[in-house]
Amino acid sequence: MEQENKWIQDIQRGGSCQAMERLVERYYDEIYVFVYRQTGQKEDAMNLTQSIFLAMLRAIHSYDPKKAAFRTWLYRIAANKVIDARRRFCPAVTPLEEMEIPVQENFVSQIHDRDLLERIEGYVSGLSPSLQTVFRLRLYGEQSFGEIAAALGQSEAAVKSQYYRLLGQIREEFDPHG
C-alpha cells in the first residue's frame, strides 16, 4: 500500500513512466477479470481494460486518497467504462413477457447461467448509472458494501438498500418462483 501511494505520487508529480507501469501491472489482471465477467469476450475485455487504464492515467491527477482508496477509485472508473460500453452496444431488447425463463430451484444459481445473465444485464443497463455501478461492483467486482459506499460517496446503509432493492426487482422480473 505504501509503495502504491509512492507510485501515485510519482505519477502525479512528474508523470513517472516506471510508476505508471508498476501501478498498471499491480491492477491489470484484477480489472481484466472484473471486465471479462461482464463481457464474456476476451478481446472486448482486453480493449475495455486498456481503456480503463488510459482513463485512470488521464484522471490520476484528480485522485484524492482522503476520499477513497485507490483500488476503490479505480473500480469506479472501471464500472463507469463498462456502463458506457454497454450503453454503446445496446443489444436488442426482448420484452419481458416474451422471454423464456429457465425453471430452477435457486434464483442465485441462475445468475451463473450466461443467457439469463445477459437478460439481467439488459435490464440493469436501463437503470441509473449509480444503481448499475452498485450492481457491477458488488456482483462482478466482489466489492464490499463499504468499498462501494466509498466509491460512490454514499453511506453503506444507502448502498445496501439500493443493492437489495435492485435484487428484489431482478427476482420479481426473472424468477418464475418469485
Side-chain angles (χ1 to χ4, degrees), residues 101-111 113 116 171 174-178:
I101 309 295
V103 178
Q104 290 184 1
E105 294 281 286
N106 184 346
F107 176 74
V108 175
S109 69
Q110 293 179 19
I111 295 290
D113 174 27
L116 179 61
R171 242 184 232 110
F174 296 95
D175 185 3
H177 304 296

Side-chain angles (χ1 to χ4, degrees), residues 86-152:
R86 291 199 68 85
R87 201 177 285 142
R88 280 191 307 273
F89 173 66
C90 291
V93 178
T94 306
L96 290 176
E97 54 275 1
E98 292 178 23
M99 289 186 185
E100 220 176 279
I101 309 295
V103 178
Q104 290 184 1
E105 294 281 286
N106 184 346
F107 176 74
V108 175
S109 69
Q110 293 179 19
I111 295 290
H112 299 290
D113 174 27
R114 193 78 202 162
D115 183 51
L116 179 61
L117 186 57
E118 279 302 313
R119 289 184 280 170
I120 291 172
E121 272 290 342
Y123 177 80
V124 171
S125 292
L127 302 174
S128 73
S130 176
L131 203 47
Q132 287 186 57
T133 301
V134 169
F135 175 80
R136 293 176 191 297
L137 291 177
R138 183 72 178 164
L139 183 66
Y140 300 114
E142 300 174 350
Q143 302 264 315
S144 71
F145 289 116
E147 290 171 318
I148 297 168
L152 296 176

Side-chain angles (χ1 to χ4, degrees), residues 4 32 34-35 42 50-51 73-74 78 91 118 135 142 169:
E4 179 179 289
Y32 173 80
F34 172 73
V35 174
K42 281 184 180 181
Q50 291 295 330
S51 174
W73 181 78
L74 179 60
E118 279 302 313
F135 175 80
E142 300 174 350
Q169 292 171 328

Side-chain angles (χ1 to χ4, degrees), residues 32-52:
Y32 173 80
V33 168
F34 172 73
V35 174
Y36 181 78
R37 285 178 176 168
Q38 296 175 74
T39 64
Q41 304 290 324
K42 281 184 180 181
E43 191 171 313
D44 291 345
M46 287 184 346
N47 290 338
L48 199 46
T49 301
Q50 291 295 330
S51 174
I52 289 163

Side-chain angles (χ1 to χ4, degrees), residues 4 23-31 53 70 74:
E4 179 179 289
L23 194 58
V24 170
E25 283 173 13
R26 163 73 178 86
Y27 287 100
Y28 189 89
D29 290 344
E30 185 178 339
I31 295 298
F53 281 103
F70 178 77
L74 179 60

